[in-house]
Amino acid sequence: MTTGAIATVPQEALDELRATVDGAILVSAPAELRAMSADASVRSKKAEANDAPLATAALVVRPTTTDQVSRVMRWATSHGIPVTPRGLGSGTVGAGIPVRGGVVLDMARFDSVGEVDVTNRTVTVGAGVRLSELDEAIRDSGLTIGHYPQSYYLASVGGCITMRGSGTFSSLYGNIEDRTGDLEVVLPGGEVVQTRSLPRASLGPDLKQLFIGSEGMFGVITHVTLKLVPRPEARLFNSARFGTFEQALEAVRRSLVDGVRPAVVRIYDPVEASAKHTKFAGTPGWLLILAFDGAPDLVAAQEKITLGHVGEQGGDVLGPEPGVNWEQRRFDYSWSTDAVGRTGGVAEAIEVTATWSELPALYERLKEAAAPHMSEFMAHVSHVYDQGAALYAIVRGEFGSDEEALTAYDAVWKSVIEESLRSGAIIGHHHGVGLERAPWMPEALGSGLDLMRTLQKSLDPAGIMNPGKAGL
């Protein structure tokens, strides 16, 4: 555990908490404390496998009401005890690890799903509800959240929001900030804030944006009003193969210029195309997978326009089968779990963003940067915007021990992130900062990090909220 961490809560303070939050579950069993202090990051998994946890909370608190959360926060502030909010533990960068001990605030019991407002296309839910369970609960309404990350069956709504996540259908439905209508948040001092911005407001800054991507450092999200979208009447898949990355990018970019909004755009490099789409990778090349959602006439028109640009750029149309294959396997991340689960094995996905004109050179530079540290490198474009796209770089390697694997892991993170910074790229797209990107936050944000520190000190003068994260 980090030096200076709070490993135990004094009995007097514990008795006060128990009396203050009557009805909340307080957990102090060592095995459960350890389990709730880990997450899905490579570093955490390796630490657990070697019986050397990165951190262990002194106490887990499981509230069920906003009032209980408020009381916990007032108590923690008064005693100077760190609080680390936790969703369902699917984070990959260590943001939910209580590096300074104290309390893990387990929000999993905030799993209510309110009545769907079909006319206004909203629903209010607890921050702890699982994405997949939410989508199933509202299925009969004909609406959906439209947010489908690879962690769809693992992640909570609140976790997605605090990490500023994205989903595979973001090109049409947007990222989590686009699906978030309003928030109920408990501040570090216990004050409860409810934002009001639906359908739109011009009443100063949009306060909910302060908490989207804050990684639990500014407050605890308790309830969320989500903006829903209709379940698509039709979905069309298609795909194409290109000789170069530039050709694939240009076909997509020109389609966006024409107003096309595919639901899914993925461009796999030849290595990943071969590894994950072997059946369709007989001829080496860059594999473009597309999906179009909406009314039948609309998706047909969008497909026609896009395939026109595919042809102009020299792409070979492969038809829907690669897209259908992708949809069937899109929640499979065994490429990571299989490697990390082996002694000496390691794998990671490092997502960055860049403009259209920067992406081809960035791909080559990241591939070169990773080569001295990992035996495998592959990449794909996974989220597209008018100005550019996210590049998802995957690295894997096998080493003699977990210690060697983590040494290489640290080295490849350093090389890829520093090369991204030199290239002018944004060093994170949707996994967040946590522990892994924290060392580069001063360079990535510049004076913006000072502003974040000012906000943190204003909201949390006692410094209790998820300390040690995001470079703060």
Side-chain angles (χ1 to χ4, degrees), residues 216-233:
M217 296 180 293
F218 296 158
V220 182
I221 297 172
T222 51
H223 291 91
V224 183
T225 298
L226 295 166
K227 297 184 283 187
L228 305 178
V229 295
R231 292 184 180 275
E233 187 178 350

Side-chain angles (χ1 to χ4, degrees), residues 190-205:
E191 303 92 338
V192 179
V193 173
Q194 293 179 322
T195 68
R196 288 200 63 190
S197 59
L198 284 173
R200 187 182 186 273
S202 179
L203 301 172

Side-chain angles (χ1 to χ4, degrees), residues 113-117 121-125 134 138 224-226 228:
V113 178
E115 185 175 349
V116 175
D117 183 335
R121 298 203 319 223
T122 63
V123 66
T124 299
V125 306
L134 164 62
I138 66 174
V224 183
T225 298
L226 295 166
L228 305 178

Side-chain angles (χ1 to χ4, degrees), residues 24-25 36 60-70 72-73 83-89 96 103-112 125-130 155-160 162 184-186 216 219-224 465:
I25 296 174
M36 296 300 291
V60 172
V61 180
R62 293 191 169 120
T64 59
T65 68
T66 300
D67 182 63
Q68 288 176 345
V69 174
S70 176
V72 171
M73 298 315 303
V83 175
T84 302
R86 175 188 170 92
L88 296 176
V103 170
V104 164
L105 193 66
D106 179 10
M107 298 299 292
R109 289 171 51 142
F110 277 73
D111 59 356
S112 63
V125 306
V129 67
R130 194 180 302 270
S156 67
V157 169
C160 292
T162 59
E184 178 184 79
V185 182
V186 179
V220 182
I221 297 172
T222 51
H223 291 91
V224 183
M465 288 302 301

Side-chain angles (χ1 to χ4, degrees), residues 68-207:
Q68 288 176 345
V69 174
S70 176
R71 291 168 182 266
V72 171
M73 298 315 303
R74 283 199 298 270
W75 169 85
T77 293
S78 68
H79 289 279
I81 294 176
V83 175
T84 302
R86 175 188 170 92
L88 296 176
S90 65
T92 61
V93 291
I97 295 174
V99 293
R100 295 184 188 164
V103 170
V104 164
L105 193 66
D106 179 10
M107 298 299 292
R109 289 171 51 142
F110 277 73
D111 59 356
S112 63
V113 178
E115 185 175 349
V116 175
D117 183 335
V118 176
T119 300
N120 298 310
R121 298 203 319 223
T122 63
V123 66
T124 299
V125 306
V129 67
R130 194 180 302 270
L131 285 174
S132 56
E133 294 173 2
L134 164 62
D135 221 31
E136 187 60 34
I138 66 174
R139 178 173 294 276
D140 289 346
S141 70
L143 301 172
T144 174
I145 184 177
H147 185 68
Y148 309 111
Q150 197 167 47
S151 58
Y152 178 68
Y153 290 99
L154 304 173
S156 67
V157 169
C160 292
I161 292 172
T162 59
M163 300 308 292
R164 206 172 183 88
S166 187
T168 50
F169 286 67
S170 66
S171 302
L172 176 61
Y173 301 125
N175 300 301
I176 195 63
E177 64 269 25
D178 303 300
R179 307 266 44 88
T180 302
D182 277 308
L183 299 175
E184 178 184 79
V185 182
V186 179
L187 301 182
E191 303 92 338
V192 179
V193 173
Q194 293 179 322
T195 68
R196 288 200 63 190
S197 59
L198 284 173
R200 187 182 186 273
S202 179
L203 301 172
D206 185 355
L207 294 178

Side-chain angles (χ1 to χ4, degrees), residues 391-403:
L391 184 64
Y392 204 80
I394 295 173
V395 294
R396 287 193 299 196
E398 297 286 342
F399 302 89
S401 67
D402 279 344
E403 183 179 4

Side-chain angles (χ1 to χ4, degrees), residues 231-399:
R231 292 184 180 275
E233 187 178 350
R235 174 171 291 165
L236 286 182
F237 285 105
N238 217 314
S239 60
R241 181 171 46 238
F242 296 86
T244 69
F245 191 19
E246 289 86 347
Q247 289 172 316
L249 288 171
E250 188 63 7
V252 172
R253 189 192 70 81
R254 291 191 180 190
S255 299
L256 295 179
V257 169
D258 283 348
V260 173
R261 289 290 173 222
V264 174
V265 176
R266 298 179 80 82
I267 304 173
Y268 292 95
D269 76 356
V271 176
E272 192 168 1
S274 179
K276 296 184 178 180
H277 303 275
T278 306
K279 183 178 178 181
F280 315 104
T283 301
W286 291 77
L287 177 63
L288 168 64
I289 288 178
L290 298 161
F292 303 92
D293 277 9
D297 289 348
L298 176 62
V299 298
Q302 293 196 91
E303 180 187 51
K304 180 179 179 180
I305 292 169
T306 303
L307 294 185
H309 289 301
V310 166
E312 291 168 1
Q313 296 304 312
D316 297 322
V317 177
L318 303 179
E321 195 175 357
V324 173
N325 178 70
W326 167 82
E327 184 181 40
Q328 292 170 344
R329 301 182 58 197
R330 63 191 167 109
F331 299 121
D332 178 6
Y333 50 99
S334 57
W335 60 265
S336 172
T337 54
D338 289 353
V340 176
R342 293 190 293 269
T343 299
V346 68
E348 182 63 291
I350 305 174
E351 19 57 85
V352 300
T353 64
T355 62
W356 293 108
S357 55
E358 293 169 337
L359 280 164
L362 177 64
Y363 167 81
E364 295 295 340
R365 293 177 71 166
L366 296 191
K367 183 178 180 180
E368 184 177 349
H373 313 293
M374 294 284 174
S375 58
E376 296 180 63
F377 176 93
M378 53 189 178
H380 63 263
V381 163
S382 52
H383 308 269
V384 300
Y385 306 92
D386 288 347
Q387 286 71 41
L391 184 64
Y392 204 80
I394 295 173
V395 294
R396 287 193 299 196
E398 297 286 342
F399 302 89

